[in-house]
Amino acid sequence: MTTLLSMPHVSLIAQSCALAVQGDLNVNAAADVAAAGVKWLESARLTDVVLDFSGVSKASSAAISVLFEWLRACHSLGVVVTSIALSTPLERLTSLAELDALIGSPNAEA
């Protein structure tokens, strides 16, 4: 486990084939978290990855934006996203915004 980014209310952690966000991923942190995740994806040379947002404490469009940025990066790098885990607040937000089809199965286990 490697901490890629640690800010006062949010952290980004990389494990062998997973990126995990924990805390309050708000608009002030989103660009830094997205960039650090993309940089790790580019350098890790993975074939597949798990994107874990289950530790995100609040529903935020900023968190969804980070997720989509990572999905775009994975697509361009040819990395298969094997699962996406969302916290309950994020799951509600994606459902309300009708983004479920774009994200896939948010409840898939890593």
Side-chain angles (χ1 to χ4, degrees):
M1 180 170 78
T2 303
T3 301
L4 301 176
L5 183 69
S6 182
M7 299 176 80
H9 299 288
V10 67
S11 60
L12 175 60
I13 298 164
Q15 295 176 340
S16 60
C17 292
L19 274 175
V21 182
Q22 298 174 343
D24 181 10
L25 180 49
N26 59 36
V27 69
N28 296 325
D32 292 334
V33 172
V38 169
K39 183 177 177 181
W40 181 80
L41 287 165
E42 291 171 343
S43 66
R45 301 177 192 247
L46 303 170
T47 56
D48 57 79
V49 69
V50 171
L51 302 179
D52 184 357
F53 286 73
S54 64
V56 174
S57 56
K58 297 178 184 173
S60 164
S61 60
I64 301 301
S65 295
V66 170
L67 173 59
F68 282 130
E69 181 65 21
W70 290 353
L71 289 172
R72 281 190 292 275
C74 288
H75 179 74
S76 70
L77 294 166
V79 177
V80 175
V81 177
T82 56
S83 72
I84 299 169
L86 298 179
S87 64
T88 301
L90 283 178
E91 191 176 315
R92 283 190 212 120
L93 177 61
T94 59
S95 179
L96 180 66
E98 298 180 353
L99 297 172
D100 306 62
L102 293 174
I103 293 173
S105 178
N107 289 322
E109 292 294 318

